[in-house]
Amino acid sequence: MTTPPTTMPQPSPAPATATPPQSSRPSRFGLVFGIVAAVLSVGSIVLAIVAPALTSAPKLHVPQGWKQIYNDNPGNTTALWDNARGCTFPTAGLNISSDSKCGFTPANGVELTNGVLVVAQLAPAADVPLSQDAGILLDDTVLVIISQQGDYMICRSTCERFANTDAPVITGSTVAWHADAFVPNELAVLYDSDQQTVSFYVNGQYVNQVSAGLSSTPTVALTTSTSGEALFTHVTIFAASTA
Amino acid sequence: MSQQPQAWTPGQPVYPQGQVATGQPYQAYPYAQPYAQPYWVYPYPAMVVKRREPGEIYALVVAWIVFAFGILSIIGGLLLLLVAGIATANGSGDSLAVLTTFAGFTLGPILGGVLAIVYSISRVIKRPSPPPSLPSSLAMLMLTIFSLAAAVILWHFYTSPGLAFAILPLALLSGFLPALTILAYGVQQLGPATTRRHLWLSLFFGATMAPLFAIIFEAIAALLILWGLAIIRPDLTPGISSVTDTAPRNASDAIFLLLVIAVVAPLVEEGLKPLGVVLIVRRLRSPAEAFLLGLAAGIGFDMVETIGYIGSGQADWVSISIQRIGAGLLHGLGAAMAALGWYYLINGKGVPHRWLKGFGGLVYAVIQHGIFNASNLLGLLPGPVGDLMSKTTYLGRLPLDSGTILFFGYYAIILGILVYMIGRLRRNLKTPAGTAATSTPSLPTGPEPQPVAGGAR
C-alpha cells in the first residue's frame, strides 16, 4: 500500500542551499522526562514482581487433613458424573453447554462432609464454539460462575448469570483470569463448614467469598450459563471428612 | 463628575489658558486651535492605542476556551475518580479491565486539565513556549522493549499475576511507551515546527475530548445501523450482544460488525482526533506543525484506547499490549494526515492542488483505519486466509494469534509512510518557528499557506 500521491505536500521552492534543520536535541525537559520514564518503568516492574504477594488473601492451598476424593479427567470416569442433563464426555474431558448441570457422585457411596474443595481445570476457550462460561454448583445452593472475559458471579439458590435475583449476589471481574482464548484456566471453590463461607479462587489466586450455610453433606456439580459452554479437562475434589 | 484641580509642577508646560497639559483629547476643546504650537511639538509621547496583532483576539479566545475546558476536565476527571473509588471499594478493584478504563478516563482529564489551565494562562500573559522536547525515540524504544520483555517473563513465571493495583503501572506503561516512542520520533524530526504548549494540549485533546465524543457518536451510529438492518432484513437482525461476542454468529452479525468497526469507527475517530488542531489551525505556521500536532492528538487517543484493550486481557494483558504495539502508528499517522488535510483546506489558499491535498489527507486517514479494522474480520473468511488468521503463534508459551503477524506487517507499512511524510515535511521546515512573544514568526516560503498571526502561540 502506498500513500495517495495527492496527499503529499509539494516541496516549497527552497533555495538549493537550504538544509534541513538538525534534529532537536532533548532539552532539560526531555532529559527529565526520560529519567522519570525510566524510573517509572523500573518501579512498575518491581511492583509487578511482588504483586502476587500483595493480594488480600493467600493463594489456594488444600486445608490440612483434608482427603482427596477425586482427581481425574472426567472423560475417563464418566460413571462418576451424572450425564442425564446433556453432559457429554469427549476425550478432552467433560463438556457442558447451555445451562446444563453435571453432578458428581463419589465412588463407593462416600459422602463429602464438613467442607469441600473443588478444583476444576478448563480447556482454552478456543476449544469450545460458544463463550466459555464455567460454573461450580455446591449443594444446589451456591453457584460460582465465571465468563470467558473474567466476569464472575457468586449467588445463593438458583441464579442466572447477570440476572437480577432476590438472593444476595456478588459480582465482579478478576485479573487472575486468563481472558486469552488460547490459555487454559483453573477455578476452585472452597466451602469451609466451620466458618460457613464459600471462597472462590481463579488460577490459585483468591477472588472473593460469600457466607453460606450448606448441608452437612454438600453435593458438587459442574455447570455453565444459558448461552455458554464449558469443557472441564481435569477435576480434583477434596473433603474435610467422608461418611 | 467633578474634576479635581490639577496642580502645576515645575517644568511642566501649561497651555496659554493656564491649564496643565494632561494629554486630554484636544479635540474636545470647543475652540479652534489656540495654541502657539501644535500639540505634537510637546515633548510628551503621544497617547498611542496599541493595536493587537492580527489574530490575537482569536488566540485569546482560544486560550480562554482552553482554560474553561481545563477546569471542566479536572472536575470531570475528579468525579470519575470518585466513581472509581466507589467501584473499587465495592469489589471491582481486582479487575484490570476496570482499573485501566478508569485510569484512561481520569488520568487524561486531570493531567490534561491542569496543563490546559497552566498553558492557557501562560498564553494569555504571552509567556513564550519553547519547542517541544522528548527523550530520543531510541531511548523510548529501549524502555518499551525493556518493559514488555519484563512483562512477558513475569507472565511465564506467574499463573496468576497478583494484586491488580500492583500490575496497573506496568500495564499502563506497556500501552504508553510504544505510543510515546512514535511521538518522540515525530518531535525529534519536526519539533522546531511547533511549541511545547501546542503539542501537549493537542495530545491531551486526543486523550480526552476525542475518545469521549467517539464513544458517544459510535454508540449512536451502531444503534442506527441496528435499526436500519432491522428494517432491511428483519429475518437477520443482530443483537447488541453481537458487538461483544467473541465471534459473529451469522452473516448479519458480520455485516453489522464490518459496518461498525470498518466504516463508522474510522469516520468518527479520524474526524474527531484532529479537531483540537482544527481549532487553532489558522495560527499554525506550516504543514509540518499541523502534521506534528495531529500526530500528538492521535497518540493521545491511542494511549487511552490501548490501555482499555490491555485491561480486557486481565491476566493475559501482555499479549494485547504486544498486539497493540503499533496502534500508535495507526492512530498517530491517521490523525496527522487528517490534520494536514484540514491545514490545506483552511489555510491553503494559493497552494497548488489545495483541495486534492486537503481531502486526500482526510480520505487517507479514514481508509488506513478502515483497512486495519476490517482486517480483524479476516478470520471469518473461509479458506486459507481464515485458517491462517485462526492459528496461534507462541512467544515462549505466550500465545499470540496469527493476526498479530498481519498487524505487524501493516504497522511496518504505516511506519514507512510516517517516515516518508516526516522526511518530506522536514525538508520544508526552514527555520525553527520563533516562540518569543514578540518575535516575528518565520514563515514558510513558497506556495505554502501562512498563519493568521504570529506572536506567542
Side-chain angles (χ1 to χ4, degrees):
Chain A
M1 195 186 79
T2 57
T3 311
T6 55
T7 63
M8 297 301 150
Q10 298 298 316
S12 60
T17 55
T19 55
Q22 295 300 308
S23 299
S24 59
R25 289 181 183 174
S27 66
R28 187 187 302 169
F29 177 85
L31 192 64
V32 170
F33 192 100
I35 292 170
V36 169
V39 170
L40 282 178
S41 298
V42 173
S44 300
I45 291 168
V46 171
L47 203 55
I49 289 171
V50 300
L54 300 176
T55 50
S56 60
K59 295 197 76 155
L60 175 66
H61 67 279
V62 181
Q64 202 167 14
W66 284 34
K67 297 174 184 173
Q68 182 176 288
I69 306 300
Y70 178 83
N71 181 26
D72 210 337
N73 175 348
N76 298 335
T77 54
T78 56
L80 300 181
W81 295 92
D82 172 19
N83 62 356
R85 294 181 61 181
C87 305
T88 58
F89 296 93
T91 53
L94 166 58
N95 186 285
I96 311 172
S97 62
S98 303
D99 221 11
S100 297
K101 182 180 75 172
C102 302
F104 172 69
T105 309
N108 305 321
V110 171
E111 289 187 326
L112 316 174
T113 59
N114 299 324
V116 62
L117 169 63
V118 182
V119 182
Q121 291 176 5
L122 290 163
D127 290 357
V128 297
L130 298 178
S131 174
Q132 178 148 276
D133 304 333
I136 296 174
L137 183 62
L138 292 183
D139 212 24
D140 275 339
T141 304
V142 174
L143 172 65
V144 179
I145 192 164
I146 187 163
S147 75
Q148 188 171 316
Q149 288 75 37
D151 303 320
Y152 67 86
M153 171 181 274
I154 307 175
C155 58
R156 301 191 193 94
S157 71
T158 306
C159 62
E160 173 55 36
R161 191 165 69 91
F162 303 127
N164 291 321
T165 61
D166 294 332
V169 167
I170 291 177
T171 59
S173 60
T174 176
V175 70
W177 185 257
H178 291 282
D180 191 302
F182 298 101
V183 182
N185 281 288
E186 177 191 279
L187 59 156
V189 174
L190 170 66
Y191 170 59
D192 185 333
S193 61
D194 293 337
Q195 297 183 356
Q196 300 274 294
T197 56
V198 173
S199 302
F200 178 41
Y201 294 82
V202 167
N203 295 312
Q205 183 171 320
Y206 170 80
V207 175
N208 217 327
Q209 75 173 21
V210 62
S211 59
L214 304 183
S215 69
S216 58
T217 56
T219 59
V220 172
L222 304 178
T223 185
T224 186
S225 68
T226 306
S227 59
E229 184 175 357
L231 178 56
F232 294 89
T233 56
H234 197 99
V235 178
T236 309
I237 299 173
F238 300 88
S241 58
T242 54
Chain B
M1 193 176 86
S2 63
Q3 191 170 359
Q4 293 295 321
Q6 293 167 329
W8 176 82
T9 54
Q12 186 175 6
V14 292
Y15 296 126
Q17 292 78 16
Q19 292 165 308
V20 178
T22 61
Q24 292 290 328
Y26 304 98
Q27 294 84 346
Y29 287 95
Y31 36 79
Q33 183 79 17
Y35 311 112
Q37 295 174 311
Y39 67 89
W40 43 264
V41 174
Y42 289 100
Y44 303 106
M47 188 171 161
V48 177
V49 178
K50 190 177 179 184
R51 295 190 62 183
R52 293 182 189 274
E53 294 177 50
E56 183 64 15
I57 297 285
Y58 171 63
L60 283 175
V61 168
V62 170
W64 284 115
I65 288 173
V66 169
F67 180 82
F69 272 95
I71 291 174
L72 289 175
S73 184
I74 291 174
I75 292 171
L78 289 175
L79 284 176
L80 271 174
L81 197 62
L82 181 68
V83 173
I86 293 170
T88 302
N90 288 333
S92 295
D94 190 38
S95 170
L96 194 62
V98 172
L99 294 184
T100 52
T101 301
F102 277 122
F105 284 98
T106 55
L107 280 180
I110 293 173
L111 192 56
V114 170
L115 277 181
I117 290 172
V118 170
Y119 280 146
S120 57
I121 290 173
S122 75
R123 174 61 189 85
V124 169
I125 62 175
K126 293 191 174 183
R127 177 173 291 178
S129 178
S133 174
L134 281 174
S136 78
S137 53
L138 190 62
M140 296 303 288
L141 180 65
M142 297 303 288
L143 274 182
T144 301
I145 293 170
F146 178 58
S147 299
L148 284 176
V152 170
I153 291 168
L154 287 175
W155 185 91
H156 281 82
F157 271 95
Y158 297 145
T159 312
S160 50
L163 185 69
F165 270 112
I167 305 151
L168 181 66
L170 186 58
L172 293 180
L173 280 179
S174 298
F176 292 164
L177 287 174
L180 288 173
T181 301
I182 298 159
L183 183 63
Y185 175 72
V187 168
Q188 207 172 331
Q189 301 297 317
L190 300 177
T194 189
T195 64
R196 184 185 295 168
R197 182 158 53 211
H198 277 174
L199 186 94
W200 288 110
L201 287 182
S202 185
L203 184 140
F204 278 102
F205 176 89
T208 52
M209 305 294 283
L212 177 67
F213 286 117
I215 289 170
I216 295 169
F217 290 144
E218 286 176 17
I220 292 171
L223 288 174
L224 288 175
I225 291 171
L226 270 180
W227 183 60
L229 280 176
I231 292 172
I232 298 166
R233 294 293 302 273
D235 55 323
L236 282 177
T237 302
I240 289 287
S241 61
S242 305
V243 182
T244 54
D245 274 354
T246 50
R249 294 165 300 191
N250 52 39
S252 186
D253 278 2
I255 292 169
F256 174 75
L257 271 180
L258 188 69
L259 286 174
V260 170
I261 71 172
V263 179
V264 170
L267 280 172
V268 170
E269 292 174 15
E270 299 305 335
L272 287 170
K273 282 184 292 184
L275 278 191
V277 185
V278 174
L279 188 67
I280 57 168
V281 74
R282 294 288 287 167
R283 294 187 54 76
L284 302 187
R285 304 178 189 209
S286 64
E289 182 171 19
F291 187 88
L292 182 57
L293 295 182
L295 182 73
I299 291 296
F301 188 94
D302 166 67
M303 286 160 77
V304 171
E305 187 186 74
T306 293
I307 61 171
Y309 280 121
I310 285 176
S312 68
Q314 301 285 17
D316 300 321
W317 62 267
V318 64
S319 59
I320 296 180
S321 59
I322 290 172
Q323 288 166 22
R324 300 268 315 171
I325 200 166
L329 287 166
L330 176 85
H331 281 299
L333 180 62
M337 293 296 280
L340 191 62
W342 280 114
Y343 180 84
Y344 281 118
L345 289 178
I346 297 172
N347 287 3
K349 192 175 180 183
V351 174
H353 311 298
R354 169 192 183 185
W355 302 108
L356 209 54
K357 288 176 181 176
F359 287 112
L362 297 175
V363 169
Y364 171 84
V366 172
I367 289 178
Q368 174 190 270
H369 199 149
I371 291 173
F372 181 86
N373 283 9
S375 66
N376 284 285
L377 299 179
L378 285 177
L380 301 175
L381 293 176
V385 175
D387 292 343
L388 180 68
M389 294 293 288
S390 304
K391 285 183 179 171
T392 312
T393 53
Y394 288 88
L395 187 61
R397 292 198 317 275
L398 181 69
L400 300 168
D401 59 52
S402 295
T404 306
I405 298 168
L406 179 76
F407 292 153
F408 274 48
Y410 198 51
Y411 292 152
I413 293 170
I414 296 173
L415 177 62
I417 297 169
L418 178 73
V419 170
Y420 175 76
M421 285 300 299
I422 284 179
R424 290 291 297 265
L425 291 167
R426 192 161 173 252
R427 280 200 293 275
N428 290 348
L429 197 62
K430 293 292 179 288
T431 52
T435 55
T438 54
S439 69
T440 303
S442 54
L443 303 178
T445 58
E448 299 298 350
Q450 299 189 354
V452 167
R457 297 183 304 150

